[in-house]
Amino acid sequence: MKALNVFLLFLSIGLGIPSSYAQYNPSFSTFTGAAYGVPRDKLLSPFDSTMLDYRVMDKVSWEEINFDSDPGYGGIGDLWLDDNTYGIYLQSTMTIGERGCYEFTLNTDDGSYLWIDNEIIIDNSGDHKMTMKKEKVHLDSGKYNVLIWYYQLQDLCGFKFGAVSLQDSTACIKVEE
């Protein structure tokens, strides 16, 4: 029976047919947005839309967000900014292929937030070293608006975002205390 299941899985993948055995990770459109020159004291406050009124330092367009902590003063990814305190506001469209439980991670040096359809999912704010926050969310199949705010307060820059489908259908069930 196990051999039959493995054969069906490879057959469905080879033919591009969805399989109940396959895991569907979310897919994302290009993350686009801008880097804003926001003063340090303002960045230490919770995010609000007035932060987007500050000077645009550069436009951002990334296929993925996976930047290790780097002692490069003021830069991250392909951005080299003229100030070492800034915020990057990104948007993307996330496609969920199969209803289920998904885990989202933000691992950042200094602060970050993740919203899905205007609901805050992760708050990883603060002046800190690389810190990973995770959250599990149950989602139906479809398209979702994703927003990420990352901000930089010091001279180390690190910014990683991840999303995976969880095979365990009970992973999103909250246990009452």
Side-chain angles (χ1 to χ4, degrees):
M1 185 64 167
K2 185 176 179 181
L4 177 61
N5 287 340
V6 171
F7 171 75
L8 290 173
L9 174 61
F10 284 110
L11 180 64
S12 66
I13 292 170
L15 296 175
I17 301 169
S19 165
S20 60
Y21 302 105
Q23 181 179 353
Y24 296 98
N25 286 331
S27 63
F28 296 88
S29 65
T30 301
F31 292 90
T32 59
Y36 297 86
V38 183
R40 179 184 173 78
D41 61 329
K42 180 71 172 172
L43 288 173
L44 286 170
S45 303
F47 176 83
D48 70 73
S49 62
T50 63
M51 293 179 181
L52 305 180
D53 294 336
Y54 286 91
R55 175 179 64 96
V56 172
M57 298 167 69
D58 204 351
K59 298 288 183 186
V60 179
S61 180
W62 292 327
E63 293 299 317
E64 65 178 347
I65 302 169
N66 187 19
F67 306 107
D68 288 318
S69 184
D70 182 6
Y73 200 71
I76 189 163
D78 56 352
L79 296 176
W80 290 99
L81 305 171
D82 58 3
D83 196 347
N84 69 338
T85 63
Y86 55 85
I88 299 175
Y89 190 69
L90 299 167
Q91 61 185 15
S92 177
T93 300
M94 174 177 64
T95 302
I96 299 293
E98 183 176 282
R99 181 177 193 230
C101 185
Y102 295 84
E103 183 176 72
F104 297 89
T105 59
L106 272 175
N107 188 7
T108 57
D109 180 321
D110 294 333
S112 56
Y113 296 90
L114 167 68
W115 295 268
I116 298 175
D117 279 354
N118 295 320
E119 181 181 338
I120 188 139
I121 303 300
I122 296 177
D123 178 345
N124 190 7
S125 58
D127 182 3
H128 53 70
K129 297 185 268 185
M130 286 297 281
T131 302
M132 180 184 291
K133 294 274 179 111
K134 298 180 180 184
E135 191 62 48
K136 296 173 186 154
V137 179
H138 188 273
L139 296 170
D140 290 327
S141 62
K143 294 193 181 290
Y144 295 84
N145 184 36
V146 172
L147 300 171
I148 298 176
W149 173 250
Y150 163 78
Y151 59 89
Q152 178 56 38
L153 297 168
Q154 304 294 333
D155 57 345
L156 290 176
C157 308
F159 184 18
K160 295 183 176 196
F161 168 70
V164 295
S165 172
L166 299 177
Q167 295 272 330
D168 181 3
S169 61
T170 62
C172 282
I173 296 174
K174 301 244 186 228
V175 177
E176 297 211 14
E177 299 189 39

